[in-house]
Amino acid sequence: SRRRSFYGGKMKIYISGGAKNGKSMFAQEIAKKLSSEGHLWYLATMEPRDNEDDARVLRHRKERAGWGFKTAEWGRNIALHSEEFDCKGTYLVDSVTALLSNEMFGGMSGEINKPAAEKVANELLAFSDAVENVVFVSDNIFCDAAFYDEWTDSYREGLAKVDRAVAEKCDVVAEFSCNQIIFYKGAELV
């Protein structure tokens, strides 16, 4: 199609929005449209920690059943999986938010790993350059004026850094809100 040839066969899409508002389903639809036969991947980043997380993972699996997704569960260290990348693949990365949380707070020390934001951003950018198409999903956690503890503030700051770096390199940038989509870049490409 004209759209794909314009970008040399590669599309990078970034979708943000509040939790549980339909952005993952929208991202699945976009990824499916971009994929070539047999090269549709769901990169699951959540490392479930409780029953609510388990239920969310199960819900997402049910939602994408029958869509043709192959699942890769890479909750950390995306760069370590570089030899496994399907270079002709279309990947739905769901979610940037969980990936950063795993990297920032998943260590055994109980400390905040502040350099995790730069690491995650760099790994996601390298990943997006290596594959045919990628749709990133991230949560918008920046719309309130509350004051938070050091952990939460560090995480919000880190996620903002990752989101900005990834969105800057994407062809399409959109926010999903109340089942409405707002395009900031590349609306004509979707």
Side-chain angles (χ1 to χ4, degrees), residues 15-33:
I15 301 169
S16 183
K20 301 175 186 164
N21 70 0
K23 68 184 175 296
S24 289
M25 183 60 74
F26 178 74
Q28 285 176 202
E29 291 169 3
I30 296 298
K32 181 73 173 170
K33 287 178 186 176

Side-chain angles (χ1 to χ4, degrees), residues 26-71:
F26 178 74
Q28 285 176 202
E29 291 169 3
I30 296 298
K32 181 73 173 170
K33 287 178 186 176
L34 291 172
S35 72
S36 58
E37 201 62 35
H39 295 282
L40 182 60
W41 290 88
Y42 185 94
L43 201 158
T45 62
M46 179 181 274
E47 294 178 347
R49 291 182 169 80
D50 57 25
N51 290 340
E52 184 178 337
D53 288 349
D54 291 337
R56 191 172 185 186
V57 168
L58 183 60
R59 187 184 83 239
H60 278 222
R61 284 181 181 152
K62 286 180 180 178
E63 286 174 354
R64 68 180 186 269
W67 285 57
F69 281 99
K70 298 174 192 168
T71 301

Side-chain angles (χ1 to χ4, degrees), residues 7 12 15 24 28 34 43 46-47 52 54 65 68 74 76 81 87 90 93 95 111 116 131 139 143 149 165 182:
Y7 283 98
K12 298 174 190 168
I15 301 169
S24 289
Q28 285 176 202
L34 291 172
L43 201 158
M46 179 181 274
E47 294 178 347
E52 184 178 337
D54 291 337
W74 301 336
R76 300 172 201 236
H81 300 279
C87 296
T90 293
V93 178
S95 74
E111 298 293 316
V131 301
D139 291 308
C143 295
D149 58 44
I182 303 159

Side-chain angles (χ1 to χ4, degrees), residues 73-173:
E73 294 184 5
W74 301 336
R76 300 172 201 236
N77 300 310
I78 298 293
L80 293 180
H81 300 279
S82 62
E83 291 185 13
E84 300 172 52
F85 296 170
D86 176 356
C87 296
K88 293 185 180 190
T90 293
Y91 282 82
L92 169 54
V93 178
D94 197 357
S95 74
V96 172
T97 316
L99 181 61
L100 178 63
S101 176
N102 300 339
E103 295 278 5
M104 195 171 230
F105 304 117
M108 300 302 277
S109 69
E111 298 293 316
I112 302 168
N113 178 9
K114 290 185 180 181
E118 185 174 348
K119 174 186 184 279
V120 168
N122 290 336
E123 288 184 350
L124 289 177
L125 293 174
F127 173 74
S128 71
D129 286 340
V131 301
E132 186 74 16
N133 302 297
V134 63
V135 179
F136 295 103
V137 175
S138 188
D139 291 308
N140 182 340
I141 60 169
F142 311 107
C143 295
D144 58 28
F147 292 100
Y148 294 102
D149 58 44
E150 179 188 3
W151 281 62
T152 306
D153 274 341
S154 293
Y155 179 71
R156 286 167 46 107
E157 182 180 314
L159 185 61
K161 287 178 183 177
V162 174
D163 285 349
R164 278 193 305 267
V166 172
E168 181 181 321
K169 298 294 183 181
C170 284
D171 306 304
V172 177
V173 176

Side-chain angles (χ1 to χ4, degrees), residues 1-8 10-14 26 29-31 33-34 133 135 169-174 183-190:
S1 75
R2 183 172 183 246
R3 170 178 59 211
R4 289 173 57 87
S5 63
F6 179 75
Y7 283 98
K10 289 189 175 195
M11 283 286 289
K12 298 174 190 168
I13 299 173
Y14 168 87
F26 178 74
E29 291 169 3
I30 296 298
K33 287 178 186 176
L34 291 172
N133 302 297
V135 179
K169 298 294 183 181
C170 284
D171 306 304
V172 177
V173 176
F183 286 94
Y184 297 103
K185 178 167 62 168
E188 71 280 3
L189 302 173
V190 178

